[in-house]
Amino acid sequence: MNKVKGLKTKDLLGLRYLSAEDINLILDTTQSMKEVMTRPVRKVPALLGKNIVTLFYEPSTRTRTSFDVAAKNLSANTTNIGLAQSSVKKGETLIDTAKNLEVMGYDGVIIRHKMSGAPHLLAENIKGAVINAGDGCNEHPTQGLLDMFTMKEKKGDLAGKKVVIVGDIAHSRVARSNIWGLNKLGAKVVVVGPPTLIPIGITEMGCEVSYNLEKAISDADFINVLRIQLERQEEGLFPSVEEYHKLYGITVDRLKKCKPDVVVMHPGPINRGVEISSEVADGPYNVILEQVTNGVAVRMAVLFLLLSGKKPMLMKKGL
Ligand code: CP
């Protein structure tokens, strides 16, 4: 159990479990970490001597690398294990894998897994911190946090801001973490997509549903565009990617009918010409690469709060 006046659990499993106070603590700490990232030497000794392992059973470019950079910026030792190199390939269970890592002296495990709930299972079975880096269609909490941090950087307090999440809501852990987190910070969330990609009951999470993209985005402050996850879909959920682009793709023509300061976001990786046009992905409306930079700072903040044992207020005085 984390003893500092900070996060109330030893793990970060999902934004559904965090209070607005927890989320704001992480976002405030992220601001301090961004300052560290601007220094000529982007390294502080906050996690010196801590060992962290990233256990990724699904592909990743941004999340795994940014956790690795974040941990190194805090002076932790890091090890990366992918599915191909792991003894899971020989039949070892996830719990046995984690218990073996724990007795080697790992303080924290960052896990991405195709099964929803895999990080929760680990958290119950090891003493170290478990951080969910994406579990099935359930949650991707650090993505939700970096999205909210980026939104706050662009437009300040999120209370009352309208965030439209567009696309494959059914298969999206990013959408779920955004909905949980944004609700807690008082934003209004609307999800838009083809009816086959909007799950029944999603409104119970605290969002509205629209099937009319242009109407939904007309007064949006933020449009968070989701990747079409063909790898998680059974066939036939929409006719073709061309058709999807025509009906739900974010294009400059569509953005011209929105608020002039609308901000377009995407968790990456992007499918150019499917959910977003190249003109938007490379143009002035989007903050996609800023999200990636903020991802390092958010992950530094999460690692610091879970593993340093220091009071967050120390951050204000410098690390
Ligand atoms: N946004 C995100 O999770 O990207 P990766 O799959 O590359 O980690």
Side-chain angles (χ1 to χ4, degrees):
M1 188 77 171
N2 192 358
K3 299 278 194 314
V4 302
K5 182 179 165 294
L7 296 179
K8 294 177 191 67
T9 65
K10 74 174 178 71
D11 313 295
L12 177 64
L13 300 177
L15 298 192
R16 69 182 298 170
Y17 310 112
L18 298 190
S19 63
E21 189 191 8
D22 290 330
I23 291 172
N24 282 322
L25 172 68
I26 298 171
L27 300 185
D28 289 348
T29 310
T30 300
Q31 193 60 54
S32 305
M33 295 302 174
K34 258 203 111 165
E35 185 277 313
V36 170
M37 288 173 66
T38 64
R39 295 179 190 173
V41 178
R42 292 170 293 212
K43 207 172 183 77
V44 290
L47 297 186
L48 195 63
K50 300 282 182 189
N51 297 323
I52 293 168
V53 60
T54 59
L55 206 52
F56 273 58
Y57 294 129
E58 282 192 328
S60 168
T61 297
R62 278 147 291 273
T63 312
R64 171 143 80 174
T65 312
S66 59
F67 265 117
D68 193 61
V69 172
K72 288 186 164 100
N73 286 350
L74 297 171
S75 302
N77 303 314
T78 61
T79 309
N80 298 313
I81 301 179
L83 180 59
Q85 307 89 41
S86 134
S87 284
V88 166
K89 280 276 184 197
K90 301 183 217 162
E92 188 170 43
T93 68
L94 185 59
I95 294 173
D96 284 339
T97 303
K99 284 188 168 168
N100 277 268
L101 293 168
E102 182 164 57
V103 295
M104 287 180 221
Y106 282 97
D107 303 287
V109 178
I110 298 158
I111 179 167
R112 172 170 287 188
H113 202 284
K114 68 176 181 187
M115 298 298 294
S116 296
H120 305 61
L121 187 67
L122 277 198
E124 284 167 14
N125 282 280
I126 62 172
K127 293 188 197 75
V130 176
I131 300 174
N132 181 358
D135 63 324
C137 302
N138 179 36
E139 280 222 44
H140 190 350
T142 54
Q143 181 69 46
L145 289 164
L146 77 88
D147 289 345
M148 288 189 285
F149 181 82
T150 308
M151 288 176 196
K152 282 187 84 164
E153 264 193 338
K154 294 295 157 195
K155 295 201 177 186
D157 189 358
L158 296 184
K161 298 288 189 306
K162 180 174 178 183
V163 181
V164 179
I165 306 175
V166 184
D168 183 358
I169 310 296
H171 300 92
S172 178
R173 52 201 181 202
V174 175
R176 284 175 184 75
S177 284
N178 265 256
I179 297 169
W180 288 120
L182 286 165
N183 264 311
K184 286 174 185 178
L185 297 196
K188 175 182 174 179
V189 184
V190 179
V191 298
V192 184
T196 48
L197 295 179
I198 306 279
I200 293 166
I202 191 83
T203 51
E204 284 164 28
M205 288 180 66
C207 60
E208 290 175 20
V209 173
S210 170
Y211 301 106
N212 184 334
L213 175 67
E214 278 160 22
K215 185 158 181 277
I217 63 176
S218 64
D219 59 349
D221 293 291
F222 301 96
I223 305 172
N224 204 352
V225 188
L226 301 175
R227 181 172 70 88
I228 288 296
Q229 300 190 49
L230 294 171
E231 77 276 17
R232 288 191 212 279
Q233 289 183 10
E234 56 274 35
E235 283 186 14
L237 292 177
F238 54 85
S240 66
V241 289
E242 292 78 16
E243 186 85 357
Y244 182 87
H245 185 67
K246 206 166 132 196
L247 291 173
Y248 293 100
I250 299 301
T251 60
V252 169
D253 281 348
R254 287 200 160 115
L255 293 178
K256 281 182 184 156
K257 296 177 201 146
C258 297
K259 281 180 163 181
D261 64 347
V262 68
V263 175
V264 177
M265 306 174 71
H266 192 303
I270 57 176
N271 292 312
R272 288 172 181 265
V274 183
E275 70 267 1
I276 191 166
S277 71
S278 276
E279 219 181 343
V280 176
D282 300 326
Y285 291 101
N286 89 81
V287 293
I288 298 170
L289 292 177
E290 288 176 61
Q291 288 174 262
V292 177
T293 302
N294 289 339
V296 177
V298 157
R299 289 167 181 131
M300 286 172 73
V302 167
L303 291 170
F304 174 81
L305 289 168
L306 289 178
L307 291 170
S308 73
K310 287 183 186 159
K311 290 186 195 299
M313 64 181 63
L314 289 180
M315 298 296 299
K316 295 200 174 79
K317 294 180 190 155
L319 285 156

